[in-house]
Amino acid sequence: VAAVTERAHAAGLDAADPLAGFRDEFVLCERIYMDGNSLGRLPRRVEERVAALVQEWGERLVTGWHEWIELPARLGDLLAREIVGAQPGEVLVCDSVTVNLYKLAAAALDRRPGVIVTAVDEFPTDRYVLQGLGEVRLLDPDPAADDVAAACAPGDVALVCLSHVNYRSGALADLAGITEAAHDAGALMLWDVCHSAGVVPIDLSGVDLAVGCTYKYLNAGPGAPAFLYMREGLQLELRSPIQGWFGQREQFAMGPAYDPEPGIVRFLAGTPPIVALAAVEPAVELVAEAGVAALREKSVALTAYAIELHDAWLAPLGFELGTPRDAARRGSHVSLRHPEGWRICRALIERADVIPDFRAPDSVRFGLPPLYTRFVDVWDAFDRLRRLVEDEVYLELDPAPGRVT
Amino acid sequence: VAAVTERAHAAGLDAADPLAGFRDEFVLCERIYMDGNSLGRLPRRVEERVAALVQEWGERLVTGWHEWIELPARLGDLLAREIVGAQPGEVLVCDSVTVNLYKLAAAALDRRPGVIVTAVDEFPTDRYVLQGLGEVRLLDPDPAADDVAAACAPGDVALVCLSHVNYRSGALADLAGITEAAHDAGALMLWDVCHSAGVVPIDLSGVDLAVGCTYKYLNAGPGAPAFLYMREGLQLELRSPIQGWFGQREQFAMGPAYDPEPGIVRFLAGTPPIVALAAVEPAVELVAEAGVAALREKSVALTAYAIELHDAWLAPLGFELGTPRDAARRGSHVSLRHPEGWRICRALIERADVIPDFRAPDSVRFGLPPLYTRFVDVWDAFDRLRRLVEDEVYLELDPAPGRVT
């Protein structure tokens, strides 16, 4: 049996991987891609669907809208069933995560004014949007249910908003426990599932509100439309602050007064981008074919393997694991902290053909989407990383931080 | 010389049309398309660009963002120069018209609270969004500068919002005169240029705010990203209500507090849909190659010809022209009003292979985008319309109104 630090060990894990065949569904490239948690790879079937949709536009012209108009709700139902554990009529695919978070949080606060609780290391756009909507109380990173309960103790909290998986550390939150703590305090709970959708089983039953994106582990393309979730029981109570015509009852009657649809559709705003929306369907179907439960199993194995290699090779070189060791407490990316993280990340990209990404102040993130990442990819990436630090190659690069995506 | 009602007359006009060759730039279909004012045709170069962008995603993966991130501002500058008469740094391509209108109107009212003036027949999404933001005072259809001055007379108006070309009647507003009336009353002026962008020369210099779409006369595809304009002098004063990370200064520093960019970029919200955005560039370049001045000239000739045929053939059958006869007061679509408009529109689509659209209560709209519409198309469409009404074919259809896009 090969030792864990031998490439043969990784190759053995790949040979036993029941999901290995899904890699053939993707357009591949020479470089070792470790940033699928930021932007997923291109599925071949998405390339085909986009081309077909463009042709459909050319041929059907405006009459295509008879089907296109159903896409936000139809894709929402697909996500509800396969990805986020919700009911039909509780999810829409539309707008960006930012705009959806704004719509949901503003609607919640309009109904029940009060303080917003979020975490100090919540994803920036979430923090900024919430700052614009009211008073924000900040939790320390990766809060537990008790922390949320304590923050809600004054009784003035209207909304708790957190990420299911933290974008930087990769920590997986206690969704059920935190939701219960928010509810116990009379607050609504809004989850951002951008970094868990498609790799961690999600059960939104009981959750009030959620937003998520389709361009990370769902592979629908750069800036692909996002999604929003609202439990059925809230839909008649809450109103979108953006009173758009796609949320209007009898939209094409174009009546004088805004009269929103009685269901989730009231949270649509303007005309949806059809070419981008069309890409979401085959992308999500591909994830559904593998199944989130199986993907989670492989994801845990991949991140565990990365942590083993970190411990063996990288910890002695000054790295520190930024991601929880408990598999039940992490998502599908691993963050390695290093004081020279910025230069090391650039050196990996520019000198070693490995693409991770960097998140300030010191985290190099390795995304390990189980749908197309092999164990040998992890071995190769970390082997190159180890050599590059041992050989001090990164010292040849500009130490100044700049824009990294 | 052929009489105006003979097809040979139309063919003669086409033979003399300097823009005739642009038709070859588009994917064509058998049916006579008269709804390019709702959704423009597919330019061949857009089909190619979309395919290239998808491939770029597959190959460059997340590193593609180094260029993609500039698209909203770069395409905005293209629109500023070629389409809307604005300066570099005054236009962004992003989100939907609805979301952009919301951002601009909310920002304006936040700075200067007061009454909103719009028109009773303003496009629905505009009216609904404005209703959600404050007290709305409604003008009669197609207001003149004097009407706006009268509505602003009480001195309580903060924002005037109108369409440059009315979506139903096709009437072209007095942009400069109305803007002056709004300014005289101390109000900001917001123009919706959805139905004029690409067919009517626009000069936004002096205008405060504007929104528009790229899927009508700019042919960027169903639900393609919209644009927003804000004059340079306002950009430091106004703040987007949606405090998204794409509007943040030093976006990837991901700092603790929202600190918006000092320019137009502060009005970006979330991650932009790159595949849909990429389609905008070649679509707008194509319009720019023809030139809006030349397009306007042909547009006026097309609508004038449609009105001539209406007078000769359709007025005797009970139609009434819903569009101004004065060419200086109309855009690039012609509305024909008829009590049976709904069924007549359906019959044209289902029985005559002509695609116009219907707008309640009684308008059949014929969009005549000069970039690909021939004079013989107008003749053929109106000839079929005439026969269909003479032969009462439309009476075979269900009279109940339903959803028409």
Side-chain angles (χ1 to χ4, degrees):
Chain A
V1 180
V4 103
T5 51
E6 287 177 43
R7 197 171 190 276
H9 179 79
L13 293 172
D14 285 325
D17 172 15
L19 298 182
F22 279 95
R23 187 171 161 88
D24 299 333
E25 294 280 342
F26 291 86
V27 172
L28 301 173
C29 59
E30 289 292 302
R31 292 174 294 183
I32 301 176
Y33 193 51
M34 298 269 131
D35 206 13
N37 54 317
S38 180
L39 173 63
R41 281 188 188 276
L42 167 61
R44 295 183 191 284
R45 61 178 73 179
V46 168
E47 187 169 19
E48 289 161 18
R49 181 72 65 91
V50 167
L53 195 286
V54 172
Q55 287 204 326
E56 192 178 309
W57 157 27
E59 287 161 18
R60 299 196 53 198
L61 297 162
V62 76
T63 67
W65 273 110
H66 289 286
E67 281 77 50
W68 301 336
I69 203 162
E70 305 296 342
L71 277 174
R74 183 155 63 81
L75 299 179
D77 286 349
L78 174 66
L79 280 162
R81 187 176 70 240
E82 302 289 353
I83 307 297
V84 298
Q87 298 301 308
E90 291 189 326
V91 178
L92 287 176
V93 180
C94 57
D95 295 314
S96 62
V97 174
T98 299
V99 169
N100 287 335
L101 184 77
Y102 177 83
K103 290 187 292 190
L104 297 190
L109 293 162
D110 183 57
R111 165 175 167 270
R112 187 190 309 188
V115 170
I116 306 162
V117 166
T118 189
V120 68
D121 66 339
E122 186 48 77
F123 191 77
T125 211
D126 300 46
R127 287 188 280 108
Y128 303 154
V129 164
L130 297 173
Q131 282 171 17
L133 290 172
E135 185 191 337
V136 174
R137 187 170 299 153
L138 291 173
L139 297 163
D140 286 338
D142 304 332
D146 287 351
D147 302 315
V148 171
C152 292
D156 56 357
V157 175
L159 181 68
V160 177
C161 178
L162 291 168
S163 279
H164 191 201
V165 169
N166 183 282
Y167 80 103
R168 195 160 45 188
S169 69
L172 173 62
D174 173 11
L175 186 140
I178 289 175
T179 300
E180 195 183 339
H183 286 172
D184 286 348
L188 292 174
M189 185 70 220
L190 194 170
W191 285 102
D192 178 337
V193 299
C194 285
H195 283 272
S196 59
V199 281
V200 178
I202 303 173
D203 178 6
L204 291 181
S205 59
V207 168
D208 305 299
L209 307 162
V211 295
C213 93
T214 66
Y215 52 74
K216 297 178 185 293
Y217 297 108
L218 296 176
N219 312 303
F227 61 90
L228 62 84
Y229 154 90
M230 180 176 292
R231 69 174 163 80
E232 200 266 340
L234 276 181
Q235 293 173 11
L236 284 178
E237 274 183 70
L238 300 195
R239 288 167 72 105
S240 175
I242 307 175
Q243 300 187 166
W245 73 317
F246 268 71
Q248 171 82 350
R249 199 198 302 251
E250 300 280 359
Q251 178 184 4
F252 287 95
M254 300 185 166
Y258 179 65
D259 174 24
E261 283 269 4
I264 189 83
V265 170
R266 60 172 56 191
F267 278 85
L268 290 179
T271 308
I274 297 304
V275 175
L277 265 182
V280 174
E281 189 161 39
V284 173
E285 285 169 349
L286 181 57
V287 172
E289 283 171 27
V292 175
L295 288 165
R296 172 65 176 163
E297 193 173 334
K298 181 175 171 187
S299 163
V300 166
L302 282 165
T303 51
Y305 183 56
I307 291 170
E308 284 187 280
L309 292 181
H310 162 269
D311 293 347
W313 289 344
L314 302 169
L317 295 173
F319 284 90
E320 187 184 328
L321 186 64
T323 301
R325 286 191 177 270
D326 177 1
R329 293 265 64 86
R330 65 174 187 259
S332 204
H333 70 270
V334 170
S335 287
L336 304 186
R337 303 179 63 181
H338 191 288
E340 286 281 8
W342 161 256
R343 281 205 281 191
I344 289 171
C345 182
R346 294 310 310 165
L348 275 170
I349 296 169
E350 293 171 22
R351 307 290 172 91
D353 276 337
V354 176
I355 306 180
D357 69 13
F358 176 79
R359 285 294 177 260
D362 61 359
S363 291
V364 187
R365 299 192 305 179
F366 293 84
L368 308 176
L371 205 49
Y372 51 73
T373 303
R374 298 173 301 191
F375 290 88
V376 293
D377 295 329
V378 179
W379 192 94
D380 288 340
F382 278 36
D383 177 56
R384 292 185 200 184
L385 169 58
R386 170 175 65 103
R387 292 161 187 264
L388 181 146
V389 176
E390 280 173 356
D391 299 346
E392 298 189 334
V393 172
Y394 67 91
L395 293 177
E396 297 164 18
L397 280 87
D398 184 350
R403 175 170 277 188
V404 188
T405 52
Chain B
V1 179
V4 99
T5 52
E6 286 178 43
R7 197 173 190 275
H9 179 77
L13 294 172
D14 285 324
D17 172 17
L19 299 182
F22 280 95
R23 188 172 162 87
D24 299 333
E25 294 280 342
F26 290 87
V27 172
L28 300 172
C29 60
E30 289 291 302
R31 292 175 294 183
I32 300 175
Y33 193 51
M34 298 268 130
D35 206 14
N37 54 316
S38 180
L39 174 63
R41 283 189 188 277
L42 167 61
R44 296 183 190 284
R45 62 177 73 178
V46 168
E47 187 169 17
E48 288 161 19
R49 181 72 65 93
V50 168
L53 195 287
V54 171
Q55 287 203 327
E56 192 177 310
W57 159 25
E59 287 161 19
R60 299 196 54 197
L61 296 162
V62 76
T63 65
W65 273 110
H66 289 286
E67 280 77 50
W68 302 335
I69 204 163
E70 306 296 343
L71 276 174
R74 185 155 61 83
L75 299 180
D77 286 349
L78 175 66
L79 279 162
R81 186 175 71 240
E82 302 289 352
I83 308 295
V84 298
Q87 298 302 310
E90 291 190 326
V91 178
L92 288 175
V93 179
C94 60
D95 295 314
S96 62
V97 174
T98 299
V99 170
N100 287 336
L101 184 76
Y102 177 82
K103 290 187 292 190
L104 297 191
L109 292 162
D110 184 56
R111 166 176 168 270
R112 185 190 312 188
V115 171
I116 305 161
V117 165
T118 188
V120 69
D121 66 338
E122 187 48 75
F123 190 77
T125 212
D126 300 43
R127 286 189 280 109
Y128 303 155
V129 165
L130 297 174
Q131 282 170 18
L133 290 172
E135 184 191 338
V136 173
R137 187 169 298 153
L138 292 173
L139 297 163
D140 287 338
D142 305 331
D146 287 351
D147 303 315
V148 171
C152 292
D156 56 357
V157 175
L159 182 68
V160 177
C161 178
L162 291 169
S163 279
H164 192 201
V165 169
N166 183 282
Y167 80 104
R168 195 158 48 188
S169 70
L172 174 61
D174 172 11
L175 186 140
I178 289 174
T179 300
E180 194 182 340
H183 286 172
D184 286 349
L188 292 174
M189 185 72 220
L190 195 170
W191 285 102
D192 178 338
V193 298
C194 285
H195 283 272
S196 59
V199 280
V200 178
I202 302 173
D203 178 7
L204 291 181
S205 60
V207 168
D208 305 298
L209 308 161
V211 295
C213 93
T214 66
Y215 52 74
K216 297 178 185 293
Y217 297 109
L218 296 176
N219 312 303
F227 60 91
L228 63 82
Y229 154 90
M230 180 176 291
R231 68 174 163 80
E232 200 265 340
L234 275 180
Q235 292 173 12
L236 284 178
E237 273 184 71
L238 301 194
R239 286 169 73 105
S240 175
I242 306 175
Q243 298 187 168
W245 73 315
F246 268 70
Q248 172 81 350
R249 200 197 302 249
E250 301 280 358
Q251 176 184 4
F252 288 94
M254 299 185 167
Y258 179 64
D259 174 24
E261 283 267 4
I264 189 81
V265 170
R266 61 171 55 190
F267 278 86
L268 289 179
T271 309
I274 297 304
V275 176
L277 263 182
V280 174
E281 189 161 38
V284 173
E285 285 170 348
L286 181 57
V287 171
E289 283 172 26
V292 175
L295 288 165
R296 173 65 178 165
E297 192 174 335
K298 180 176 172 187
S299 164
V300 165
L302 283 165
T303 51
Y305 183 57
I307 291 170
E308 284 187 280
L309 293 180
H310 162 269
D311 292 347
W313 288 343
L314 302 170
L317 295 173
F319 284 90
E320 190 184 325
L321 187 65
T323 301
R325 283 190 178 273
D326 177 1
R329 293 265 62 86
R330 65 174 187 260
S332 203
H333 71 271
V334 170
S335 287
L336 304 186
R337 303 179 63 181
H338 190 287
E340 286 282 8
W342 161 258
R343 282 206 281 192
I344 289 170
C345 182
R346 294 311 309 165
L348 274 170
I349 295 169
E350 294 172 22
R351 307 291 172 89
D353 277 338
V354 177
I355 306 181
D357 70 11
F358 176 78
R359 285 295 177 257
D362 61 1
S363 290
V364 187
R365 298 192 307 179
F366 294 83
L368 308 176
L371 205 49
Y372 51 73
T373 303
R374 299 172 300 191
F375 290 89
V376 293
D377 294 328
V378 179
W379 193 94
D380 289 340
F382 278 37
D383 178 56
R384 292 185 200 184
L385 169 58
R386 170 174 68 103
R387 291 161 189 263
L388 181 147
V389 177
E390 279 172 356
D391 300 344
E392 297 187 335
V393 171
Y394 67 92
L395 293 177
E396 296 163 18
L397 279 90
D398 183 351
R403 175 170 277 190
V404 187
T405 50

